Amino acid sequence: MIYLQQVKQSNMSVILERIWQHNQISRVELVEHTSLTSGTITNLTHELIELNILRETEAVSGTVGRKRVLLGFDPHTFRVIGLDISRSSIELVVMDLNGTIMQSAERDMTGIQGPDAYLKVIRELVADAKKSIDAAGCRVLGLGVGVPGPIDHAKGTIVSPPNFPGWSGFPLQMKLEEEFGLVTLIEDDARTSALAERRYGLGKNVKHLVFVTMGAGIGGGVVTDGKIVRGTNGLCGQVGHMTIVLDGKLCDCGNRGCWETVGSIPGILSRWPHGSTLAELRSAALSGDQEAIKCIHDTLVYLEAAMINIQNLYDPELIVLGGSLYPMLADYMDHVKQRLRSRIYAFAKDRLNIEAATFKASQSAVGAAALLFDYLLSEPVRLLSLSERKVEKQ
Amino acid sequence: MIYLQQVKQSNMSVILERIWQHNQISRVELVEHTSLTSGTITNLTHELIELNILRETEAVSGTVGRKRVLLGFDPHTFRVIGLDISRSSIELVVMDLNGTIMQSAERDMTGIQGPDAYLKVIRELVADAKKSIDAAGCRVLGLGVGVPGPIDHAKGTIVSPPNFPGWSGFPLQMKLEEEFGLVTLIEDDARTSALAERRYGLGKNVKHLVFVTMGAGIGGGVVTDGKIVRGTNGLCGQVGHMTIVLDGKLCDCGNRGCWETVGSIPGILSRWPHGSTLAELRSAALSGDQEAIKCIHDTLVYLEAAMINIQNLYDPELIVLGGSLYPMLADYMDHVKQRLRSRIYAFAKDRLNIEAATFKASQSAVGAAALLFDYLLSEPVRLLSLSERKVEKQ
């Protein structure tokens, strides 16, 4: 890319980030909130409106009734598709540029294994979604995909995922890109979940957040200074693999006593030999079964230690908890938070902020769509030209 | 700051970062490595040479013997002073813009307590340093200070430091700024130590690194994408306060079983009732004392768990270990690294990279000086004008 295009892209990026932050903003406010001249802002917003990324709306301001022209994202032209591939389901969402979910679909994949079987379902889901997007006269900007991590980001593959046979090294990103002719990004599902909060959920005004997803496994997604952090090997935020029980059970990752070995759903049930579901454990505890009560008590002790470690190592402004285990934990969270407050630095204790995830089962799919929105905001010129070229090839 | 000055500052920053990365670089290479035009580079490097930040040197290139003009930092004009304030000593270094230590001094502060007594010593040390800097015809760009954390960065104070009576809330930054008439920055000493590696040590080509300092306490400094991360409350990287022993000893921070309670020098000695120094522990273990051997064994078990957590939570490219405990641990590190390799994700095990700190006792003071160098590289126009104003006021 030549120099002038780079400057243009970087200035457009500044404008788009501001508009995302404010939802609606006038050109005058854009001049105030950026270091760009009003001339640059006039030219670039004009171009972004022509490209159907932005649109103007009129608002009447408060007391004096003066009309102001506001800029916001155009919700009518572009769509992004977010897909989440997990061990038990496939979720799809279609979003507009304001982050509104226009359409969603889910398929249960229990008992179904391997990329071929998954691709068959994905093909149907995406074809359906594209059909309605076409029918509405809209265009797809790209496809984001959340997958069980760790992933090799450069290759677009999943790296040796435990309990997910057939996927190790499978060139998922390339396959999907070929299949659908869409700009495609893949990411660890804990990281997409974190991004969903950052862009469309509780994290809009939060610079440092950690998303923790607890279910069959435990994963984490870290946002630092507003940006998703991957780390050197794509392993940043593997909170499920911090040591909680010294010299504990051997974990799939190679370590012993990982939080996941005692705090995930299988980890919890492995400590209670009298049943095979959380519901059974819960009802046994309610009826006074001492072993069930101890199993839940220990689960909370592990959760507390993990939360302390997350707080002291990342110092986030917000920790968001999600995943299929969360609903069971929700009842205990007031108790847990109270105990945590006495265990973190006194001067920071009132700043502890733990919330439940916003998007429930769609969390990772919403974040997968947000991967494309992030791309649009950081490299608009590049994404739009890539997206255009894909359409021409079809 | 008006728009044009901001653009100028941001372009100068790009140039200075590149020069730091390459040590010496030609203008042609700067054009290749940045997105700036050769005109911009000519103008800004000219100005930076006039300001005595950069200087030109001639190099004869390899086979053809052609002379090339290279740009590097000017080591003759500006000096930065780095100071480290700890519970047992005060260290001072004077550095040039190439990161060469021109001068250093140390004072033992064992048994001396409180800001007044410390300020008296700091006054002497800084006055001595300024005298030699003046005598050499150089100018001080500013003063960086490493202190026991946590700190309140906005206020420039230390927040309730354990075992450091009299310092809680003391307006250190303001006092020093008034006292010496220098631009002054303060930072947690684990973070200055990390910055020393990033700028002048093993971290020059490393984007993600964690520095762990182990001594009377255990602290950590985190560099993500090349930048020091503070977190929401200045607590990012408090690795000494991750839970290592579930339901263990109560820690000063409020948590139980923190790594610091068992892995710092006092933590280790609290687990061995037969002596009061590491040297005694070491020699007892060498002479076959089973309790001493177990105490060291357990220390390594805790260290391993902590390293696994650091690796899995931050996924750094490099972990650097330092502090007064490190020399004792050094002998065991080959053994520890071997065990760690079997406990991290198999695909990443060959990428584990743990090294010893570069600057020994001066680590934090060197990093404190690097705070000013960082400031110069990110906001050159602002720092130079602040520094100028301070000189005029004197």
Side-chain angles (χ1 to χ4, degrees):
Chain A
M1 202 181 289
I2 61 161
Y3 174 61
L4 278 177
Q5 260 187 309
Q6 275 187 350
V7 172
K8 180 171 141 184
Q9 170 153 288
S10 128
N11 290 343
M12 273 185 175
S13 173
V14 168
I15 290 172
L16 293 173
E17 281 283 350
R18 288 293 155 178
I19 292 176
W20 164 72
Q21 222 157 43
H22 294 262
N23 294 318
Q24 303 273 328
I25 192 170
S26 70
R27 286 184 178 79
V28 174
E29 287 165 316
L30 271 178
V31 174
E32 280 164 23
H33 289 295
T34 65
S35 56
L36 303 174
T37 61
S38 63
T40 304
I41 283 172
T42 303
N43 291 338
L44 295 181
T45 54
H46 176 77
E47 192 168 340
L48 287 163
I49 290 167
E50 292 283 298
L51 288 164
N52 297 111
I53 298 298
L54 297 183
R55 64 158 181 177
E56 290 181 333
T57 48
E58 274 196 350
V60 179
S61 57
T63 45
V64 286
R66 198 160 46 91
K67 277 186 184 163
R68 297 162 68 218
V69 175
L70 297 180
L71 290 163
F73 283 96
D74 178 344
H76 301 306
T77 307
F78 285 104
R79 295 290 178 262
V80 283
I81 303 179
L83 199 62
D84 180 62
I85 297 176
S86 82
R87 293 175 180 85
S88 57
S89 69
I90 297 175
E91 293 271 345
L92 177 143
V93 299
V94 175
M95 298 181 90
D96 69 15
L97 296 185
N98 279 327
T100 308
I101 300 174
M102 308 302 291
Q103 196 180 330
S104 67
E106 188 189 350
R107 291 291 173 85
D108 184 10
M109 298 299 282
T110 317
I112 303 172
Q113 282 185 343
D116 285 348
Y118 269 69
L119 274 181
K120 195 160 161 262
V121 177
I122 292 170
R123 210 169 281 137
E124 287 167 28
L125 287 174
V126 173
D128 279 359
K130 280 176 87 173
K131 207 178 289 171
S132 9
I133 292 168
D134 288 348
C138 296
R139 280 175 50 197
V140 183
L141 201 54
L143 170 69
V145 189
V147 296
I151 67 162
D152 183 326
H153 199 259
K155 291 189 188 151
T157 59
I158 310 180
V159 180
S160 57
N163 309 318
F164 208 36
W167 286 92
S168 185
F170 179 77
L172 179 63
Q173 182 175 17
M174 201 189 73
K175 282 276 181 201
L176 293 175
E177 205 151 56
E178 279 175 13
E179 180 96 37
F180 304 117
L182 294 172
V183 177
T184 303
L185 301 174
I186 78 167
E187 188 53 277
D188 180 302
D189 52 12
R191 238 167 255 146
T192 51
S193 297
L195 192 59
E197 291 301 334
R198 166 64 181 156
R199 285 295 182 191
Y200 303 126
L202 301 166
K204 191 148 179 175
N205 298 309
V206 168
K207 287 173 77 181
H208 303 288
L209 81 86
V210 178
F211 189 96
V212 180
T213 173
M214 297 171 288
I218 297 180
V222 178
V223 171
T224 298
D225 276 327
K227 292 199 184 332
I228 287 283
V229 182
R230 285 204 185 92
T232 309
N233 306 297
L235 292 172
C236 177
Q238 290 275 338
V239 297
H241 300 283
M242 65 174 123
T243 311
I244 290 291
V245 182
L246 266 182
D247 211 26
K249 244 185 294 186
L250 189 65
C251 179
D252 284 329
C253 74
N255 187 29
R256 284 190 175 278
C258 288
W259 182 23
E260 185 167 295
T261 64
V262 289
S264 64
I265 295 173
I268 294 169
L269 293 171
S270 75
R271 293 183 287 105
W272 188 61
H274 306 298
S276 59
T277 66
L278 287 179
E280 286 168 15
L281 171 68
R282 192 75 202 283
S283 82
L286 286 173
S287 66
D289 177 322
Q290 287 305 307
E291 283 180 82
I293 290 170
K294 180 168 186 329
C295 177
I296 291 176
H297 172 264
D298 289 349
T299 301
L300 300 181
V301 167
Y302 302 141
L303 174 68
E304 281 167 27
M307 291 294 116
I308 292 284
N309 292 1
I310 289 170
Q311 191 70 26
N312 285 343
L313 266 65
Y314 298 116
D315 192 16
E317 200 173 329
L318 171 66
I319 299 175
V320 184
L321 303 182
S324 52
L325 174 58
Y326 186 74
M328 189 194 103
L329 296 176
D331 289 350
Y332 305 100
M333 284 313 295
D334 283 345
H335 168 74
V336 168
K337 284 184 210 172
Q338 203 183 341
R339 284 173 55 97
L340 288 175
R341 270 189 208 100
S342 70
R343 288 179 64 182
I344 58 176
Y345 278 95
F347 81 91
K349 74 175 164 36
D350 295 331
R351 301 178 209 162
L352 182 77
N353 191 6
I354 302 180
E355 299 290 347
T358 305
F359 299 101
K360 308 276 181 305
S362 303
Q363 185 82 23
S364 167
V366 167
L371 290 173
L372 269 295
F373 186 69
D374 250 31
Y375 196 174
L376 177 69
L377 263 54
S378 63
E379 300 181 62
V381 175
R382 190 174 153 80
L383 174 59
L384 289 166
S385 107
L386 278 178
S387 175
E388 197 63 45
R389 254 180 281 162
K390 296 268 178 201
V391 171
E392 280 163 17
K393 269 175 71 183
Q394 277 173 354
Chain B
M1 201 183 291
I2 60 161
Y3 175 61
L4 277 178
Q5 259 187 310
Q6 275 187 350
V7 171
K8 179 170 140 185
Q9 170 153 289
S10 129
N11 291 342
M12 274 187 174
S13 171
V14 167
I15 290 171
L16 293 172
E17 281 282 349
R18 288 293 158 176
I19 292 175
W20 165 72
Q21 224 158 40
H22 295 262
N23 294 319
Q24 303 274 328
I25 191 170
S26 69
R27 288 186 175 78
V28 174
E29 288 167 314
L30 270 178
V31 174
E32 281 166 22
H33 289 295
T34 64
S35 56
L36 303 174
T37 62
S38 62
T40 304
I41 284 173
T42 303
N43 291 339
L44 294 181
T45 55
H46 176 78
E47 192 168 340
L48 287 163
I49 291 168
E50 293 282 299
L51 287 163
N52 297 110
I53 299 298
L54 297 182
R55 65 159 180 174
E56 290 180 333
T57 48
E58 273 195 350
V60 179
S61 57
T63 45
V64 288
R66 200 162 44 92
K67 278 185 182 164
R68 297 162 69 216
V69 174
L70 297 180
L71 291 163
F73 283 97
D74 179 344
H76 301 305
T77 309
F78 284 105
R79 295 288 177 264
V80 285
I81 302 178
L83 199 62
D84 181 63
I85 296 175
S86 83
R87 292 173 180 87
S88 57
S89 69
I90 298 175
E91 294 269 345
L92 176 142
V93 297
V94 175
M95 297 181 91
D96 69 15
L97 296 186
N98 280 326
T100 307
I101 300 174
M102 308 303 291
Q103 196 181 328
S104 67
E106 188 189 348
R107 291 291 173 84
D108 183 10
M109 298 298 283
T110 318
I112 302 172
Q113 281 184 346
D116 285 347
Y118 269 69
L119 274 181
K120 193 158 161 267
V121 177
I122 292 170
R123 210 170 281 136
E124 286 167 29
L125 286 174
V126 173
D128 280 358
K130 280 177 90 172
K131 207 179 290 170
S132 9
I133 292 168
D134 288 347
C138 296
R139 279 175 51 199
V140 182
L141 201 55
L143 171 69
V145 189
V147 296
I151 68 162
D152 184 324
H153 199 258
K155 290 188 188 151
T157 60
I158 310 181
V159 180
S160 57
N163 308 318
F164 207 37
W167 286 92
S168 187
F170 179 78
L172 179 63
Q173 182 175 18
M174 202 189 71
K175 281 276 180 201
L176 293 176
E177 204 151 59
E178 279 176 12
E179 180 94 37
F180 304 116
L182 295 173
V183 177
T184 303
L185 300 174
I186 79 168
E187 188 53 276
D188 180 301
D189 52 12
R191 238 168 255 147
T192 52
S193 297
L195 191 59
E197 291 301 334
R198 165 65 182 156
R199 285 295 182 191
Y200 304 125
L202 302 167
K204 190 148 179 173
N205 298 307
V206 168
K207 288 173 77 181
H208 303 289
L209 80 87
V210 178
F211 189 97
V212 181
T213 173
M214 298 171 287
I218 296 179
V222 177
V223 171
T224 298
D225 277 327
K227 295 201 181 334
I228 287 284
V229 182
R230 287 206 185 90
T232 309
N233 305 297
L235 293 173
C236 177
Q238 291 275 339
V239 298
H241 300 283
M242 64 174 124
T243 311
I244 289 290
V245 181
L246 265 183
D247 212 27
K249 245 185 295 186
L250 189 64
C251 179
D252 284 329
C253 75
N255 187 29
R256 284 189 175 277
C258 288
W259 182 24
E260 185 167 295
T261 64
V262 289
S264 64
I265 295 174
I268 293 170
L269 293 171
S270 75
R271 293 182 286 105
W272 189 62
H274 306 298
S276 59
T277 67
L278 287 180
E280 285 168 15
L281 172 67
R282 193 74 202 283
S283 80
L286 286 172
S287 66
D289 178 321
Q290 287 304 309
E291 282 180 82
I293 291 171
K294 181 169 187 327
C295 176
I296 291 176
H297 171 265
D298 289 348
T299 302
L300 300 180
V301 167
Y302 302 141
L303 175 67
E304 281 166 28
M307 291 294 116
I308 292 284
N309 291 1
I310 289 171
Q311 192 69 27
N312 285 342
L313 267 65
Y314 297 117
D315 192 17
E317 200 173 330
L318 171 66
I319 299 175
V320 184
L321 302 183
S324 53
L325 175 58
Y326 186 74
M328 189 195 101
L329 296 176
D331 290 350
Y332 305 99
M333 284 312 296
D334 283 344
H335 168 75
V336 168
K337 284 184 211 173
Q338 205 183 339
R339 284 173 56 96
L340 288 175
R341 271 189 207 98
S342 70
R343 288 178 65 181
I344 58 176
Y345 278 95
F347 81 91
K349 75 177 164 36
D350 295 331
R351 300 178 210 161
L352 182 77
N353 191 6
I354 302 180
E355 300 288 346
T358 306
F359 300 101
K360 307 274 181 309
S362 303
Q363 185 80 24
S364 168
V366 167
L371 290 172
L372 268 296
F373 186 69
D374 251 31
Y375 195 174
L376 177 68
L377 263 54
S378 63
E379 299 182 65
V381 175
R382 188 173 155 81
L383 173 58
L384 289 166
S385 107
L386 277 178
S387 174
E388 197 64 45
R389 254 181 281 161
K390 295 269 177 199
V391 171
E392 280 162 19
K393 269 176 68 182
Q394 279 173 355

